[in-house]
Amino acid sequence: MSDNGPVQVRCPVLNVRRVDAYYAITVVAPGIAERFRSGQFVSVAVGGDHSSTLLRRPFAIHDVKPDYGGTVEFLFSVRGTGTAWLSERRSRDLLDVVGPLGRPFPLPREPVNCVLVGGGSGSAPLFPLAQSLRRRGCRVDFVLGGASADRVFSAITARRIAETAAFTTDDGSFGTRGRVTDVLGRVIEECRSDAVYACGPMPMLRAVTAVAGSHGVPVQVAVEETMACGTGICMTCVIPVVGEDGITRMVRSCVDGPVFRGEQVRFDDVGTIPFDALGAPGWKGSSAARAAESARDIA
Amino acid sequence: MSDNGPVQVRCPVLNVRRVDAYYAITVVAPGIAERFRSGQFVSVAVGGDHSSTLLRRPFAIHDVKPDYGGTVEFLFSVRGTGTAWLSERRSRDLLDVVGPLGRPFPLPREPVNCVLVGGGSGSAPLFPLAQSLRRRGCRVDFVLGGASADRVFSAITARRIAETAAFTTDDGSFGTRGRVTDVLGRVIEECRSDAVYACGPMPMLRAVTAVAGSHGVPVQVAVEETMACGTGICMTCVIPVVGEDGITRMVRSCVDGPVFRGEQVRFDDVGTIPFDALGAPGWKGSSAARAAESARDIA
Amino acid sequence: MNADLRTRVGGMDLPNPVVTAAGCAGSGRELSQFFDIASIGAVTTKSVMLEPHAGRPAPRMAETPSGMLSTTGMQGPGVDVFLQRDLPWLLARGGRAIVSIAGAGVGEFGELARRISAADGVSAIEVNLSCPDPAAPSGRHFADDASHAAAVVQTVRSHARSDLPVLAKLAADVPDVVELASACVEARADGLSMINTVRGMAVDTRTLRPAVAGGMGGLSGPAIRPLAVGCVYRVHEALPGVPIIGMGGVRTGADVLEFMAAGASAVAVGTTNFSDPSACSRVLREFTEALEARGFARASDVVGAAHRQGAGA
Amino acid sequence: MNADLRTRVGGMDLPNPVVTAAGCAGSGRELSQFFDIASIGAVTTKSVMLEPHAGRPAPRMAETPSGMLSTTGMQGPGVDVFLQRDLPWLLARGGRAIVSIAGAGVGEFGELARRISAADGVSAIEVNLSCPDPAAPSGRHFADDASHAAAVVQTVRSHARSDLPVLAKLAADVPDVVELASACVEARADGLSMINTVRGMAVDTRTLRPAVAGGMGGLSGPAIRPLAVGCVYRVHEALPGVPIIGMGGVRTGADVLEFMAAGASAVAVGTTNFSDPSACSRVLREFTEALEARGFARASDVVGAAHRQGAGA
Ligand SMILES: Cc1cc2nc3c(=O)[nH]c(=O)nc-3n(C[C@H](O)[C@H](O)[C@H](O)COP(=O)(O)OP(=O)(O)OC[C@H]3O[C@@H](n4cnc5c(N)ncnc54)[C@H](O)[C@@H]3O)c2cc1C
Ligand SMILES: Cc1cc2nc3c(=O)[nH]c(=O)nc-3n(C[C@H](O)[C@H](O)[C@H](O)COP(=O)(O)OP(=O)(O)OC[C@H]3O[C@@H](n4cnc5c(N)ncnc54)[C@H](O)[C@@H]3O)c2cc1C
Ligand SMILES: Cc1cc2nc3c(=O)[nH]c(=O)nc-3n(C[C@H](O)[C@H](O)[C@H](O)COP(=O)(O)O)c2cc1C
Ligand SMILES: Cc1cc2nc3c(=O)[nH]c(=O)nc-3n(C[C@H](O)[C@H](O)[C@H](O)COP(=O)(O)O)c2cc1C
Ligand code: FES
Ligand code: FES
């Protein structure tokens, strides 16, 4: 219905590749490919028409290519019923895919130095981002982490497209033993990074935001909250985020995110309704604040 | 657990064939093949582990062969979600199959003349029956019907293995236009049939029983009631059947059937609880009848 | 043959019986990216409260067999923003708006009815009776007590513009849905919407903790369809003249047929909008085809069909 | 590590927590073709009535999303045949028997309790409170009125042998399950089984007629699991000392864990026996593995886990 909004398509699977502990599925979906900007995701129906598994699964878009009018690739590791089903798809099977969804990563206007930090499957959206950044003349460095070597997504690609790439694993099976934040500070210093982009589990994003903050570098984080709809109508994916106006709101990570400025996410309060959030129990915004609210919402 | 009872097996699909408007699936299931007697059926789980479709689908066993230790074949036409799913199975897929289930067709001790009457998918169990009968020296004639030509199951096989085979279709696209009962009387006369075996929808079985009765020939019918369990525990498949003792009981068509003596099925009362059925509302069996009941049930 | 799809619910005329369920379509803006929001019967908007509400803590949802549990806790910006931003958007696109309201108490319901009535272009008010009832023990909703529910409906009716239909949204997990329905109709509800989500719970077997924050959530989706159809059937049997919007697990056009045969005059798509954003238009198309395949000239001919030919209850 | 699977429900000791649900396993004979009936915790037998009952007309079942509707209407041969034929068979195989009883009125419940008590080897009596209540309007069950339910439990308790545990089988679609549970416990139930099927309906969209005869049926299967887990959770929270047999849509070992974490001491497999005749043994194996994988030494340590670490309700 709209030209830059998401579309819903039944698209053929071009191929399913297995890479270490994860899978890469490429589908032919020109409508999604042409609208895509890095940081956006797709949501995929799983289990077939008579599945007891109703909800779509969200996956960051890892790559789009012009082949066949436009292909879209996403990476995933098998976690539960939905990803297990997806891992069994074969070429030519049809997938019902909605996308591209969500706010993309904002790109710097100047050719600055960017460090891209990914944890586990959170690395996926950083690859198209790296390419966009490099097209703008930015320097790109990677810090990728995972539980073990086979959980670090696309390490080889990272090495190829970035100036430097550092890896960490919890078990030390690849790169430095430890977490991405154990090396991030050093990378920011050595690479003179001007901006950090991060995607991964909430605790990692919180730690990355803290490290970036202590180095005085702005950070954009892409969150992975559970999502029932991915399109903004169910209100199940909310997290507390501070607006430009200093007011905390429970915002939808699917359409208001998944990308947020790290400093604006109230990581300590994720999973709660902060007492000072707009509309929290007992909250009474001044009438001025409320007037501002409706003006903002209308704008 | 028991040697002649049913077994539950996850068995590989050997092949799926399409024949006119129906499908034939052969699975490798030695345990079922070795126990099988004609008239029995299998019940097949459909839709996979995370399907919203819980219940098994019952299918008459159409053929068993000694290949691969024992194979079992069933035929079906696509009717709803379960059969649609089954029609998409491929060689080597695994199916969860329980069988053989139900009481088989009783076989005559003497080499008598038998006419086998099938409607639509109800023809399926008549083929192994025909073979058993012929092994005992019986003459076998077929009367098969269906809505249209492509709904008459295994017409060619019927011609091959039977002395004579008559066909009817509702639309006249194959054989005589009309119903199996339009030709059954003639066949019984011409073939000097001593016994009738029938399988198909309830109204057909009722009509066949009436025709057989008017020719003074005994008839065995195999019913196709909806079944939730197929193993005798859910009590959803009951029909009113008159026992040897003249008492009508609501009996389970899955384990007490699917084969019954036609005269004993109260076709007119299927879908009701006849007022004189054991335990019907207001029913008060004499204490003698009730004593007989518990003696019978214990035996 | 082109079937006549029009339907009438409590004085509200709709071009066809497929509407959205409250809280499952926002105010139509997001879904309008996938289909023309004016093409369906109506949009029932997310229950609006007087004040902004931040809702409940996360996790707010869990998937269950053929269903989902959710607990969003009426998050929303409040009625002012709704009237200034959301409603005008929907009306400008030619959509019909059934405005769902949720009061923190009976008084707020009245105030909401007054405010909504002052706006132009609203098709009906739907009264969400599955809101915490401040006059009952914690955890209870207005719908749990037919007399409390009736008081809410009465208040809304008396504060709403007299030409604005008032629909009472009922729940299935109440002592007696027919009694609840009757009480609401006596309180002058023009129609009934049913059913809301059913209270349930899931435990995350990884953590052994409740899967949604706060423990209990609302179950929706195809899993509850038999409960919903049962409520519609029983209420239509008891109150055959009262129009019903049926909902609960509608996924296909055949499901619309099922609800209408049970007694609904319109049918809402809820959770399915989450899993299939173009569901409403697909369901409407499938329903139209199913209707025509069965030779019905009018959608309204199906209403209550399952009660005819002598069906018992 | 070998986890200790033993559990105790109202004075009844079971080797493990996996039992069958009433009416979903006959008396164990059919399922014993697929696994050793003595290997599971117990068999709850189909509700037995005093007299033979022919049950309801067909069609008696319909498939629904992740569930089924059924209406068998307590068909059975009556208590005499049960005691002479079915019970001895089960006990001879080493099975433990929880005998479910269904009375046509309060008096019959008492008589049934007396008759069952006279038999040897029964582990417990389960009182099916989802039977038509002759003292209430048509369609209502004893469970719909806590005081009527309590009267039944009290009668059974006073007629049953004093060392025989009495379990009250509750339904979810009642005005207030916690109130019902409390009333039954006050009437000296030793434990609670929950939940029974939930009243619902489906319309056959080919015929536009109710899919099961009589219209309403009982919904069972995974679809209702969130309702069941919610009831167990709330009742365990209110009555933490009262043992519960949880059931409703159990399909896997993880589901057993879910019910136990919510507060059940044992868990029954119902509808899944229909779709998977060896389900009980599989579920027991999966549960044992899940328990050990999580490092629990005793199954009983899981009971109520979801309430700990400060979970709200
Ligand atoms: C914006 C976004 C982008 C994502 N991108 C990727 C990616 O590129 N690669 C990848 O491997 N994973 C990604 N995830 C996580 C991915 O969605 C989950 O792994 C997947 O949903 C698990 O489904 P399942 O059926 O296998 O697991 P189950 O545990 O069976 O799922 C049960 C429910 O929980 C939800 N869920 C489970 N795990 C997660 C999770 N980690 N995040 C969000 N929801 C979850 C499911 O969507 C489903 O609703 C992303 C998540 C979000 C929100
Ligand atoms: C003993 C027995 C033997 C059978 N043998 C054969 C056979 O050899 N070949 C064949 O094609 N069909 C046979 N049938 C019918 C077959 O079981 C149904 O066609 C099949 O269950 C339809 O499933 P579905 O999911 O496609 O249909 P749906 O309509 O989606 O099924 C919904 C429910 O209704 C039940 N159901 C639907 N139609 C029938 C029916 N005609 N009989 C019984 N239950 C039904 C299903 O099992 C399921 O529980 C047999 C039935 C019985 C009882
Ligand atoms: C996430 C979510 C939010 C909901 N919000 C509301 C609401 O605000 N007001 C309301 O009356 N019903 C609300 N409902 C209930 C739906 O309108 C509907 O009655 C119910 O979900 C059953 O329909 P379904 O199974 O099609 O979803 C909500 C349901 C869900 C799942
Ligand atoms: C066909 C059928 C028959 C049942 N019969 C009885 C019964 O006789 N007594 C009883 O207390 N519950 C009976 N139940 C309810 C089950 O015991 C159980 O409480 C309910 O089905 C929920 O569990 P499930 O979802 O695992 O089936 C029956 C359920 C079904 C589906
Ligand atoms: S996932 Fe539904 S609003 Fe974000
Ligand atoms: S199908 Fe369950 S008893 Fe026959």
Side-chain angles (χ1 to χ4, degrees), chain D residues 8-11 167 190-193 239-245 263 265:
Chain D
R8 198 176 158 80
V9 181
L167 311 174
D190 300 291
L192 303 168
S193 297
L239 306 166
V242 178
I244 295 172
I245 303 184
S265 297

Side-chain angles (χ1 to χ4, degrees), chain A residues 1-2 5-8 45 48-57 79-81 96 98 101 225-238 250-252 255 271-273 277-281 283-284 290 293-295 297-298, chain C residues 23-26 29-37 46 50-68 70-72 75-77 80-81 84-85 206 213 220-222 251 271 273-279:
Chain A
M1 297 296 304
S2 106
V7 293
Q8 177 176 13
D49 281 349
H50 296 281
S51 169
S52 64
T53 308
L54 295 185
L55 302 176
R56 284 170 185 271
R57 301 326 197 218
R79 194 191 142 90
T81 56
D96 176 347
V98 174
L101 293 164
E225 264 300 309
T226 56
M227 295 177 175
C229 76
T231 55
I233 55 177
C234 76
M235 308 301 283
T236 61
C237 63
V238 300
M250 301 304 297
V251 306
R252 297 164 297 179
V255 290
T272 72
I273 304 293
L278 182 89
W283 177 89
K284 283 280 166 262
R290 284 171 57 195
E293 181 63 15
S294 54
D297 274 320
I298 291 157
Chain C
C24 299
R29 194 193 294 244
E30 293 84 1
L31 291 182
S32 75
Q33 300 175 104
F34 300 94
F35 63 90
D36 174 10
I37 209 76
K46 176 154 186 57
L50 213 48
E51 304 286 330
H53 274 265
R56 299 251 178 76
R60 286 183 172 183
M61 75 97 178
E63 199 176 40
T64 68
S66 295
M68 70 177 273
S70 63
T71 159
T72 55
Q75 178 175 347
D80 290 339
V81 174
Q84 288 169 54
R85 181 189 65 181
R206 287 181 265 227
S220 64
R251 197 171 179 178
T271 300
N273 293 315
F274 303 162
S275 53
D276 181 5
S278 45

Side-chain angles (χ1 to χ4, degrees), chain B residues 41 225-238 252-255, chain D residues 61 274:
Chain B
F41 64 96
E225 263 301 309
T226 56
M227 296 178 174
C229 77
T231 56
I233 54 177
C234 76
M235 307 301 283
T236 62
C237 62
V238 300
R252 297 164 297 180
S253 49
C254 63
V255 290
Chain D
M61 75 97 176
F274 303 161

Side-chain angles (χ1 to χ4, degrees), chain A:
Chain A
M1 297 296 304
S2 106
D3 278 350
N4 46 17
V7 293
Q8 177 176 13
V9 279
R10 253 185 195 260
C11 45
V13 172
L14 191 61
N15 60 60
V16 185
R17 285 180 302 125
R18 179 131 204 201
V19 192
D20 299 332
Y22 57 92
Y23 292 80
I25 291 192
T26 307
V27 295
V28 179
I32 300 178
E34 76 196 14
R35 289 169 169 82
F36 167 71
R37 287 188 286 154
S38 45
Q40 290 186 302
F41 62 97
V42 289
S43 70
V44 185
V46 295
D49 281 349
H50 296 281
S51 169
S52 64
T53 308
L54 295 185
L55 302 176
R56 284 170 185 271
R57 301 326 197 218
F59 300 98
I61 296 173
H62 176 252
D63 200 6
V64 304
K65 289 218 181 75
D67 322 359
Y68 305 95
T71 66
V72 171
E73 185 190 69
F74 57 94
L75 308 185
F76 61 97
S77 43
V78 171
R79 194 191 142 90
T81 56
T83 46
W85 183 86
L86 277 173
S87 72
E88 290 158 12
R89 293 313 93 198
R90 297 287 167 263
S91 303
R92 286 195 291 275
D93 285 352
L94 293 178
L95 282 184
D96 176 347
V97 180
V98 174
L101 293 164
R103 277 189 354 121
F105 286 114
L107 300 175
R109 287 172 205 275
E110 308 295 315
V112 299
N113 296 346
C114 302
V115 54
L116 278 47
V117 189
S121 67
S123 307
L126 303 179
F127 291 88
L129 173 65
Q131 270 154 352
S132 304
L133 291 170
R134 285 173 52 103
R135 274 197 294 273
R136 300 191 164 220
C138 296
R139 171 187 164 126
V140 170
D141 299 279
F142 266 108
V143 180
L144 300 182
S148 54
D150 60 357
R151 299 268 161 196
V152 178
F153 276 36
S154 293
I156 298 163
T157 318
R159 277 214 181 96
R160 187 166 45 74
I161 64 178
E163 210 73 24
T164 71
F167 304 103
T168 65
T169 50
D170 297 353
D171 64 0
S173 57
F174 181 54
T176 311
R177 177 192 297 266
R179 294 159 179 250
V180 287
T181 40
D182 296 338
V183 304
L184 178 60
R186 183 178 51 74
V187 173
I188 291 175
E189 292 303 324
E190 288 177 10
C191 307
R192 302 168 179 277
S193 310
D194 302 302
V196 176
Y197 291 90
C199 183
M202 210 54 98
M204 182 201 106
L205 298 181
R206 168 201 206 158
V208 167
T209 299
V211 171
S214 72
H215 287 78
V217 179
V219 55
Q220 297 284 344
V221 300
V223 304
E224 291 189 355
E225 264 300 309
T226 56
M227 295 177 175
C229 76
T231 55
I233 55 177
C234 76
M235 308 301 283
T236 61
C237 63
V238 300
I239 59 170
V241 170
V242 189
E244 305 291 337
D245 54 7
I247 296 176
T248 295
R249 295 180 182 77
M250 301 304 297
V251 306
R252 297 164 297 179
S253 50
C254 64
V255 290
D256 302 317
V259 176
F260 296 100
R261 274 178 42 207
E263 315 84 77
Q264 299 193 318
V265 177
R266 292 182 57 172
F267 290 108
D268 291 339
D269 300 317
V270 166
T272 72
I273 304 293
F275 74 96
D276 57 344
L278 182 89
W283 177 89
K284 283 280 166 262
S286 67
S287 51
R290 284 171 57 195
E293 181 63 15
S294 54
R296 171 182 177 279
D297 274 320
I298 291 157

Side-chain angles (χ1 to χ4, degrees), chain D residues 222-294:
Chain D
I224 66 167
R225 196 164 66 230
L227 272 60
V229 172
C231 287
V232 170
Y233 187 86
R234 288 166 54 204
V235 169
H236 182 75
E237 184 173 56
L239 306 166
V242 178
I244 295 172
I245 303 184
M247 73 199 76
V250 172
R251 197 171 180 177
T252 68
D255 301 337
V256 174
L257 214 56
E258 180 175 19
F259 272 100
M260 293 185 77
S265 297
V267 177
V269 180
T271 300
T272 300
N273 293 315
F274 303 161
S275 53
D276 181 6
S278 45
C280 286
S281 58
R282 173 181 57 76
V283 165
L284 175 57
R285 186 180 66 243
E286 290 169 351
F287 167 69
T288 309
E289 287 164 7
L291 200 66
E292 294 176 352
R294 282 164 183 75

Side-chain angles (χ1 to χ4, degrees), chain B residues 8 52 56-57 235 250 279, chain D residues 54 60 66 75 275-276 278:
Chain B
Q8 178 175 10
S52 64
R56 284 171 184 272
R57 301 324 197 219
M235 307 301 283
M250 300 305 297
Chain D
R60 286 185 172 182
S66 295
Q75 178 175 349
S275 53
D276 181 6
S278 45

Side-chain angles (χ1 to χ4, degrees), chain C residues 208, chain D residues 1 3-7 257 260-261 264-265 287 291 295-306 308:
Chain C
L208 296 184
Chain D
M1 186 198 63
D4 179 352
L5 299 178
R6 285 172 303 170
T7 191
L257 214 56
M260 293 185 77
S265 297
F287 167 69
L291 200 66
F296 283 99
R298 279 173 302 271
S300 56
D301 291 346
V302 183
V303 179
R308 295 191 276 271

